[in-house]
């Protein structure tokens, strides 16, 4: 056969039946079903309460400062609410659900018991802000959608709207506007070697130029995608602080969560599996000079659609007559696929034949905890970094020795005369993002600008101040000449024949 | 191992152990290579076949179950066969050639099928259970490519063919995915292993896991009354091969009546004397 399809029927997996037993809705047991969700059939009338219930069940136990089990008491968050909106499937459903449940108080989303003055009819968050980060400037040829997004958000009453651009991550004006510590000097980094030597980036270009320099210096398409995700996440988090929000809600569906978990694990972020599901974030400890209000410096990131699959989100939008603005980035950029996009293709493909896999991935990852000591926050992604990352790398691969580790990171003492290095202050995944290559060499920039929050990181300022001396290896670890190295490994070398 | 043992006088008594799954056109060819290796390295060789241990070859199993779930049978049977072969040889340590690609694939597979118990230990270089023989994977951090290059340049006599029954859909998908990841970023394999080492099963989840016990029929370690191999074998013998794979099939098997007296079973497993350890010991990778 020219098409290569196997002729042996047994060689191909048999398609599993779409539903298990009956075509009648499993909830009301009366109406004929309209949608199959993981082998169970639901009618349209039962579908909306089902999704609303899953949404509330995932969100409400996390609303009060002290997270607890299924809620029985009033919801009293310690701050306002920020919604991250990308215009995509999940965030469109999120916007709609938050508005119906907590702004419009749609009766169909509530339990029927209790009177008109029941506490659940009180407003939970005083102020709800929607934040959109426009990423079109990162990809040539991508359409700017901020106007469309603003129009969609304006359809919902009582939502405030903030539109950011991805280059704001390099924008001093934005940083100071959100209450960040004033920047005295900019830091850059050289991506030429794995120790990532810190440089002074004395003449900052425009934020857009800095973004382009940063992205074009990254070694792989995977690094570009994951960097944009990290920058977007940090822009949202700092905006949450600015708006005095105690909660940041993201429209990550069950499917998207499974994708980001597998993608993160494939990029070495196993230590942060817990944060990928639910995260409690506070900016790096010492913000004494910050203009932000004290006591409101913690943001809880919640993904209330984590039990709702992409298929259910699509059905919700379709039946509610809502639209999606987001566009797959790869079509706009035309770039080769990175790990994120490959994982997305893999998981969505797998979900068709094995609908339970996505839920299994999320449930399995929910049973995991980070292993080992935390060595502070990664200065780039501001998530907990595992201690001893650079030592692990040195032990498991043939690579250049990294001398600049500090005791805080669970590494050997840094010598006073080694160059200032970014590597010991990064988590494994961020270090891999900046250093892991695919063979093809890129034009090396002597100094790549770093996002604004890294320039005010006290630990990096100390590192930079410490390492201004001459680069020399520590005592006992003097660099060897090539012939010396060859002599040491002589007996392991293969014959030239 | 042979070179290092000779060069550094480790004083190890080495044996070759090979499992014959009974796959015509695949394992029979590779066993010829193994026999040549025995002569080349002058190490005693033990070949243990599924046929002599379980009374079934993989060819016969595939003839009954098809190509859908056959990797489940092969994987479970091989794990036991290695321990049983090692017990016959009276050795205290099994070293396997699993490489970094295999480990990364296992991490992903264990997440996707929700196998928390294996996920917690699959990245350990050495593992040892109370009733199993110590196992090591010294190539844990060596990429498959590196191993192939080493064997090629050292002109080693090795066999390299995919199993003819390997297109098991699920694992096949995971393997293809891993290759795509490696092409996108070669460090993906070691990054996945690092991830696997950077998390552990939560304590409260560990507390709910079944305690390890001994199979009442064959004496091998098990988390249930019957070990997986005995359940699979019973299903094969009674013509209900899916009994250990789905709950529904297991109930059907139970409803079909008690175990027949003349059912063929796996020989009882005895740990070699002096090898019992006090508890499960995962020996950690470098911190």
């Amino acid at each position: 056969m020219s098409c290569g399809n196997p002729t042996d029927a047994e060689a191909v997996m048999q398609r599993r039946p779409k539903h298990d037993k009956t075509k009648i809705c499993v909830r009301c047991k009366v109406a004929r079903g309209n949608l199959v969700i993981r082998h169970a059939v639901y009618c349209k009338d039962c579908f909306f309460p089902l999704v609303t219930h899953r949404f509330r069940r995932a969100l409400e136990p996390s609303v009060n400062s002290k997270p607890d089990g299924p809620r029985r008491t009033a919801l009293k968050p310690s701050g306002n609410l920020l919604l991250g909106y990308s215009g995509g499937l999940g965030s469109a459903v999120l916007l709609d659900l938050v508005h119906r449940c907590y702004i419009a108080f749609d009766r169909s989303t509530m339990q029927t018991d209790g009177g008109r003055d029941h506490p659940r009819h009180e407003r939970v968050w005083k102020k709800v802000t929607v934040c959109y980060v426009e990423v079109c400037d990162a990809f040539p040829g991508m359409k700017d959608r901020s106007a469309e997004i603003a129009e969609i958000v304006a359809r919902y009453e009582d939502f405030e709207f903030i539109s950011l651009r991805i280059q704001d991550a390099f924008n001093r004006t934005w940083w100071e506007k959100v209450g960040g510590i004033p920047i005295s000097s900019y830091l850059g980094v050289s991506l030429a070697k794995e120790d990532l030597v810190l440089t002074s980036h004395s003449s900052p270009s425009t934020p857009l130029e800095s973004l382009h320099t940063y992205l074009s210096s990254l070694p792989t398409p995977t690094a570009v995608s994951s960097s944009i995700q990290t920058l977007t996440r940090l822009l949202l988090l700092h905006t949450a602080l600015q708006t005095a929000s105690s909660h940041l809600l993201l429209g990550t569906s069950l499917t998207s969560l499974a994708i980001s978990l597998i993608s993160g694990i494939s990029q070495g972020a196993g230590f942060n599996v817990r944060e990928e599901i639910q995260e409690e974030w506070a900016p790096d400890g010492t913000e004494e000079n910050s203009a932000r209000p004290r006591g409101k410096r913690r943001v809880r990131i919640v993904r209330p659609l984590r039990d709702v699959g992409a298929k259910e989100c699509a059905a919700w939008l379709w039946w509610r007559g809502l639209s999606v603005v987001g566009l797959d980035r790869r079509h706009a950029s035309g770039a080769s696929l990175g790990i994120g996009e490959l994982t997305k293709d893999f998981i969505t493909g797998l979900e068709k034949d094995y609908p339970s896999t996505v839920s299994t991935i999320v449930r399995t990852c929910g049973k995991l905890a980070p292993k080992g000591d935390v060595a502070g926050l990664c200065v780039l992604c501001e998530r907990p970094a595992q201690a001893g990352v650079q030592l692990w790398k040195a032990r498991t691969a043939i690579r250049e020795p990294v001398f600049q580790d500090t005791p805080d990171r669970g590494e050997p003492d840094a010598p006073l005369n080694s160059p200032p290095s970014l590597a010991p202050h990064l988590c494994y995944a961020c270090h891999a993002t900046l250093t892991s290559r695919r063979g093809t060499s890129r034009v090396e920039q002597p100094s790549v600008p770093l996002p604004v929050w890294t320039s005010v990181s006290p630990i990096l300022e100390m590192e930079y101040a410490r390492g201004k001396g001459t680069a020399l290896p520590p005592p006992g670890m003097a660099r060897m000449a090539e012939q010396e190295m060859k002599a040491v490994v002589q007996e392991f070398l293969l014959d030239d024949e | 191992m042979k070179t290092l043992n000779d060069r550094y006088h480790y004083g190890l008594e080495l044996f070759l152990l090979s499992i014959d799954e009974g796959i015509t056109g695949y394992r029979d060819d590779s066993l010829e290579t193994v026999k040549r290796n025995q002569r080349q390295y002058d190490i005693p060789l033990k070949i243990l076949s599924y046929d002599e241990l379980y009374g079934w070859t993989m060819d016969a199993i595939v003839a009954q179950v098809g190509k859908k779930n056959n990797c489940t049978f092969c994987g479970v049977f091989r794990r036991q066969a290695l321990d049983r072969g090692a017990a016959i040889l009276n050795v205290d340590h099994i070293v396997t050639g699993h490489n970094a690609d295999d480990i990364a694939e296992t991490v992903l597979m264990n997440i996707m099928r929700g196998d928390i118990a294996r996920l917690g230990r699959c990245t350990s270089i050495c593992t040892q259970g109370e009733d199993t023989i110590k196992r090591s994977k010294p190539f844990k951090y060596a990429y498959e490519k590196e191993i192939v290059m080493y064997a090629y340049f050292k002109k080693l006599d090795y066999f390299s063919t995919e199993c003819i029954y390997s297109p098991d859909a699920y694992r096949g998908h995971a393997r293809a995915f891993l290759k795509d990841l490696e092409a996108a970023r070669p460090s993906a394999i070691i990054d996945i292993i690092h991830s696997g080492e950077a998390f552990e099963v939560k304590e409260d989840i560990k507390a709910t896991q079944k305690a390890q016990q001994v199979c009442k029929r064959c004496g091998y370690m098990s988390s249930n009354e019957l070990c997986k191999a005995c359940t699979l074998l019973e299903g094969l013998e009674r013509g209900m091969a899916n009994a250990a794979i789905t709950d529904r099939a297991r109930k059907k098997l139970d409803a079909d009546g008690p175990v027949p007296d003349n059912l063929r079973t796996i020989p009882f497993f005895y740990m070699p004397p002096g090898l019992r350890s006090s508890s499960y010991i995962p020996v950690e990778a470098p911190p």
Side-chain angles (χ1 to χ4, degrees), chain A residues 448-475:
Chain A
V448 177
L450 287 167
V452 279
W453 49 86
T454 54
S455 288
V456 296
S457 162
I459 196 165
L460 277 197
E461 283 178 352
M462 279 167 58
E463 172 75 22
Y464 187 70
R466 179 201 60 75
K468 277 183 175 172
T470 315
L472 282 174

Side-chain angles (χ1 to χ4, degrees), chain B residues 47-97:
Chain B
I47 298 174
L48 188 61
S49 72
Y50 281 9
D51 198 13
E52 77 185 89
L53 204 51
Y54 308 112
W56 287 78
T57 63
M58 275 310 292
D59 286 340
I61 292 170
V62 171
Q64 185 175 128
V65 306
K67 290 178 186 171
K68 187 177 168 185
N69 288 319
N70 68 83
C71 288
T72 305
F73 288 81
C74 196
V76 171
F77 284 172
R78 194 183 316 106
R79 181 170 180 82
Q80 274 216 20
L82 272 174
D83 274 332
R84 288 168 181 276
I88 292 168
L89 292 169
N90 200 25
V91 299
D92 57 5
H93 200 152
I94 303 170
V95 179
T96 60

